[in-house]
Amino acid sequence: MPLPVPSPTSTAVVTGASSGIGAQIALELARRGHGVCLVARRADKLEEVAAQLRSLRVRAEILTADLSQRSARAELPARVEELGLVLDVLVNNAGLSTLGRVSRSDPAAEMQMIEIDVVAVADLCSRVLPGMVERGRGAVLNVASTAAFQPLPGQAGYGACKAFVLSYTHSLAGELRGTGVSATALCPGPVDTGFGETAGFTGEEANGALPRFMWRGAAEVARAGVEGMASGQVVVIPGVANQVGAAIGYLTPRRLLVPMLAARHPGVRR
Ligand SMILES: NC(=O)c1ccc[n+]([C@@H]2O[C@H](COP(=O)([O-])OP(=O)(O)OC[C@H]3O[C@@H](n4cnc5c(N)ncnc54)[C@H](OP(=O)(O)O)[C@@H]3O)[C@@H](O)[C@H]2O)c1
C-alpha cells in the first residue's frame, strides 16, 4: 500500500523529530513532498530540523510536547487540526532506554520509558487511526528495534517495550487490511545517535556491545523505514547483518540465548 499522496493540507506527524532517526525520517518524508509536524520536547532542536525541511519547500510545523504526559498526547490531534492540516502519516519514533539490572533500577525511570516507548505508541495510534480509516487513507510507522526479537538482560524493560511495538504493529497491519491504511514496524539494529548516551552507555561500552558491521547510519535507517512504509512492508530491518541477527535472536532457544546475552551485556556486567 503506497504512502498517501502529499498535499498542501496533509501532514506527517513525526515524534522524536528533534534528533537522530526521527529527524532523518522527517527529512526523508520532506524529500518526498510531505509536510511534517515535528514533535519532541526540545524546541531549539526542532527549529533546526524545521529549517532544513522548509529549505525543501515543504510545510514544517513544530509541536513541542512531552509525550510522557497523557494530556500532551491527548491534545496532539487537535493541535494538528487547528493548523488546518489532515494527519495522513503518523511516525511513532520517540523512544529511550534505561540501562542496568532491574534489581538496581529507578522505578520512575522505568515507568518513564514505558510511558514513551509503549503507552504513547498505543495512545497516538488509537487517537489517529479512526480518522485515517474513515478517510480510507493513511500510514503508520512505529519504530521498534532488533531488540524486539529477543529478551535483552541489561535492558530488560527496553527489550520488552520494543517487543510490544513489534507485536502491536503486526496486529495493526492485520486489522487494517483493505482499509487503505498501512502499519509498518521499523526495527533498526545499532545506530549512532544520542540514544546510547541517554541510556547511559559509555562510548566504549556502546562500541563494544555489538560488532561495527551491524551499525547503520540514521539517514540510511530512516530511508529504509520510509521506503518500507511506501511499499506496504509490515516489518523493516535495515541491513543484512541485522536481519540475520534478528532471526538468530528470534529462533535461538531462550535457555541458551539469555545466559549468553546476560554474560556479555554491559548493563549486567557493571
Ligand atoms: N539508536 C539506536 O541504536 C536505536 C536502535 C534501535 C531502535 N532505536 C529507536 O529509535 C528511536 C529513535 O531513537 P534515536 O536513536 O534517534 O535516539 P535519540 O537521538 O536519543 O532520539 C530520541 C528522540 O525521542 C525524543 N523524546 C524522548 N523523550 C521524549 C518525551 N518525553 N517526549 C517527547 N519526545 C521525547 C527526543 O526528543 P527530546 O529530547 O527533544 O524530547 C528525541 O527526539 C527510539 O524509539 C529508539 O528506541 C534506536
Side-chain angles (χ1 to χ4, degrees):
M1 194 169 315
L3 264 171
V5 177
S7 82
T9 53
S10 68
T11 195
V13 167
V14 180
T15 72
S18 58
S19 63
I21 298 168
Q24 292 299 327
I25 290 174
L27 269 167
E28 192 58 37
L29 286 165
R31 283 190 200 105
R32 292 167 179 253
H34 292 272
V36 184
C37 287
L38 304 160
V39 181
R41 292 165 302 178
R42 289 172 294 171
D44 54 336
K45 296 284 176 196
L46 291 176
E47 282 294 354
E48 287 170 24
V49 179
Q52 283 180 275
L53 264 57
R54 288 179 192 131
S55 72
L56 297 169
R57 298 180 183 282
V58 297
R59 270 185 81 156
E61 320 285 340
I62 288 167
L63 299 176
T64 51
D66 179 348
L67 292 173
S68 68
Q69 301 298 312
R70 292 185 178 204
S71 57
R73 297 193 301 259
E75 286 166 5
L76 213 50
R79 289 172 73 188
V80 173
E81 216 171 293
E82 277 162 23
L83 293 165
L85 296 169
V86 175
L87 204 167
D88 266 355
V89 180
L90 171 66
V91 181
N92 281 307
N93 162 79
L96 72 153
S97 179
T98 56
L99 179 67
R101 294 167 187 254
V102 177
S103 58
R104 296 182 192 158
S105 64
D106 168 10
E110 295 296 299
M111 292 310 104
Q112 170 84 355
M113 171 178 66
I114 293 166
E115 196 74 41
I116 295 158
D117 289 4
V118 172
V119 184
V121 174
D123 192 351
L124 292 181
C125 282
S126 69
R127 288 179 193 282
V128 160
L129 279 169
M132 287 184 176
V133 170
E134 203 180 300
R135 291 187 291 278
R137 190 181 75 233
V140 174
L141 180 68
N142 292 329
V143 181
S145 164
T146 47
F149 295 94
Q150 57 178 70
L152 196 54
Q155 291 174 276
Y158 179 71
C161 284
K162 294 303 182 179
F164 172 93
V165 175
L166 179 61
S167 167
Y168 184 74
T169 310
H170 265 299
S171 297
L172 282 184
E175 290 179 7
L176 291 167
R177 271 176 83 95
T179 64
V181 183
S182 65
T184 301
L186 173 60
C187 302
V191 186
D192 203 0
T193 62
F195 177 82
E197 198 184 328
T198 306
F201 284 97
T202 64
E204 202 181 329
E205 283 172 341
N207 286 329
L210 286 164
R212 209 60 225 171
F213 62 81
M214 298 189 89
W215 290 73
R216 311 254 59 100
E220 178 190 339
V221 166
R223 198 176 325 116
V226 174
E227 274 168 10
M229 185 165 41
S231 60
Q233 271 179 262
V234 178
V235 179
V236 178
I237 305 172
V240 176
N242 289 309
Q243 290 163 13
V244 173
I248 292 170
Y250 184 69
L251 295 170
T252 308
R254 274 37 194 151
R255 66 190 158 77
L256 300 176
L257 183 72
V258 173
M260 209 170 69
L261 293 172
R264 290 196 70 239
H265 198 291
V268 178
R269 289 169 54 177
R270 277 179 184 181

